Amino acid sequence: MSPSSPNEPERQPARSGERIAKLLARAGIASRREIERMIAEGRVAIDGQVLTTPATVLTSLHGVTVDGETVAAATPARLFRFHKPAGLLTTERDPAGRPTIYSRLPNGLPRLMPVGRLDLATEGLLLMTTDGELKRQLELPATGVERSYRARAYGQVSQEQLEELMLGVEIEGVRYGSINANLERRTGANVWIELTLTEGKNREVRRVLEHLGLKVSRLIRTRYGPFELGDMPVAAVDEIRQHDLIVFRKALTGPGGGKAASNLQLSGKSKAVDADPEAAPTEPAATLPANRAERRKVGAQTSEPEAYKPARPQRPKAEKKGPEKFGVAQRRRHQAAAERQANPTAFGEGQGDRHRAKRGATPDAAAKSPRPPRQDSPRRPPQQKGKPFTKPVSARHTQHDDDAGPLLDRPKRAFRPNDRRPGTAAGPRPPAGKGGPAKRGPRK
């Protein structure tokens, strides 16, 4: 009923109450605009009386019905992240039959409303909530919640041109607020640009970049407030933890507003959302006919299923044998030698003579022309230990003068009395204590 209705004086606007559209939006019925449209259509009633205006202030939802169903008390708000792929509409249904985001959401989720909209070709982070008030609060430009995008565009642009967007720009009579844009990198004729804005008007990023002479080929939303896309898989859904959501809403209504709430350092943890197995549609298993020709007629391109393949006989497992007792191996060797001597043909004995007879060589011929004995090469006499090196000096140096390989690979030999110590002249060794190097003491 209208607050000016004389039949309901207790429904007069009160300072402590809230409008019915706000209360229904908080209960998760729909957004404020949708609730106002529902009130105009006469779908909302209070104690059986249909409302005709949304200007109704209530302290609670007691007695409020929507389409004849009683509205339950408001439940705590829930916030979800959804990685929207390109090619999906951010709407509940499309008259043209194009796919929407709700066709990719798993079953078993509560009724979710998207926070803002992403174009058909835009992908990335899309927040979805059960609370219409939170949805409206995040969408309002006056709140100042930051949104970050990464755009791949074709064309040439400089960082100075992007910095001019901090002052705002007016395009075709539409004024766009401050945009923090940075040139991320260049890949050939394309450039990657990172943009952060707070308004989120319709096709704002694409129109601003087209105003600079760029053609956007890909647009990804990477952040909405403190909630980031990260490495979230495409078309995946998870839920923001209730503790992080409470901290965010407190900061959103605090002194810093949306700027302080967007710079929050949350835990970053989220709860995975699994599809409800009971609500998920289950397709009946296809039954194939037993006849192979009939299976080919119905278009079975794969090989035969496991049900039609003959069962493979399983081989018996070999029994593990323990260690043999002492003398068993020797007894087996004697038994094998006796069997070989009794039946040599079974073991391949004498086959070499038969092959030689086919080639014309017989044992008698081999005896007449014996093979010459093997002549071994003469061995070098071993060097005696302690014998001095007798090669000339020139030959000794030419042998080990290439790359010091032989010198490094030669084994070390002990010092002999006739060897010259390093640092002394060639010739007879002087007596001890008269000339020559001083005696070395123990190492310190």
Side-chain angles (χ1 to χ4, degrees), residues 36-344:
E36 292 175 359
R37 186 175 66 251
M38 294 165 62
I39 293 175
E41 295 173 356
R43 300 168 55 185
V44 182
I46 300 178
D47 297 334
Q49 298 183 2
V50 179
L51 291 180
T52 58
T53 174
T56 304
V57 178
L58 300 176
T59 57
S60 66
L61 292 176
H62 179 70
V64 179
T65 59
V66 177
D67 296 334
E69 297 181 1
T70 304
V71 178
T75 57
R78 300 173 65 183
L79 189 63
F80 294 81
R81 292 191 311 165
F82 175 57
H83 189 169
K84 175 190 173 298
L88 298 181
L89 289 175
T90 311
T91 182
E92 188 173 356
R93 62 182 62 90
D94 180 52
R98 291 174 293 182
T100 65
I101 57 174
Y102 292 96
S103 62
R104 299 295 300 271
L105 292 177
N107 298 319
L109 292 177
R111 184 183 182 279
L112 299 177
M113 296 171 286
V115 178
R117 292 179 180 271
L118 292 179
D119 299 336
L120 180 66
T122 306
E123 54 187 303
L125 178 63
L126 179 64
L127 295 181
M128 306 189 73
T129 179
T130 59
D131 192 346
E133 181 184 3
L134 177 61
K135 164 186 165 66
R136 185 60 178 166
Q137 191 176 14
L138 292 174
E139 291 176 347
L140 282 175
T143 309
V145 180
E146 296 180 352
R147 296 98 154 157
S148 297
Y149 296 84
R150 292 183 70 241
R152 183 182 65 187
Y154 175 80
Q156 298 294 329
V157 69
S158 62
Q159 181 62 34
E160 289 76 12
Q161 293 177 285
L162 297 177
E163 290 178 355
E164 293 178 358
L165 299 178
M166 292 290 295
L167 304 177
V169 61
E170 184 175 351
I171 304 173
E172 298 179 358
V174 180
R175 181 68 183 179
Y176 296 100
S178 175
I179 300 177
N180 183 11
N182 295 302
L183 186 63
E184 191 173 301
R185 69 173 185 272
R186 298 181 183 270
T187 55
N190 296 322
V191 291
W192 280 94
I193 304 174
E194 184 179 2
L195 304 98
T196 301
L197 47 99
T198 57
E199 288 184 344
K201 293 181 179 179
N202 184 25
R203 300 179 63 86
E204 180 175 355
V205 176
R206 296 181 183 272
R207 290 179 178 177
V208 169
L209 294 182
E210 288 175 1
H211 177 71
L212 298 178
L214 301 175
K215 184 177 180 181
V216 179
S217 58
R218 189 178 182 185
L219 186 59
I220 309 170
R221 182 194 280 173
T222 58
R223 183 173 67 94
Y224 201 112
F227 310 108
E228 298 182 357
L229 180 64
D231 54 353
M232 191 176 183
V234 179
V237 184
D238 57 14
E239 183 178 359
I240 304 298
R241 294 188 179 273
Q242 196 67 24
H243 173 72
D244 294 342
L245 181 57
I246 294 174
V247 173
F248 169 69
R249 299 192 71 174
K250 286 183 178 179
L252 197 61
T253 56
K259 183 69 174 179
S262 301
N263 296 328
L264 285 176
Q265 298 294 332
L266 301 179
S267 62
K269 298 180 181 180
S270 55
K271 297 186 293 184
V273 176
D274 298 330
D276 189 1
E278 298 180 357
T282 57
E283 298 181 359
T287 58
L288 296 178
N291 190 0
R292 181 180 297 180
E294 295 179 0
R295 290 200 304 272
R296 290 178 179 175
K297 290 180 182 179
V298 298
Q301 301 293 337
T302 57
S303 60
E304 293 182 283
E306 297 293 335
Y308 300 108
K309 291 184 179 180
R312 184 176 180 180
Q314 296 186 2
R315 300 176 181 176
K317 296 183 180 180
E319 299 180 359
K320 295 183 179 181
K321 298 181 179 180
E324 296 181 348
K325 296 182 179 181
F326 178 76
V328 174
Q330 184 178 7
R331 186 165 61 252
R332 289 182 178 178
R333 286 196 298 269
H334 284 294
Q335 184 178 0
E339 293 178 357
R340 187 187 299 255
Q341 186 176 4
N343 190 6

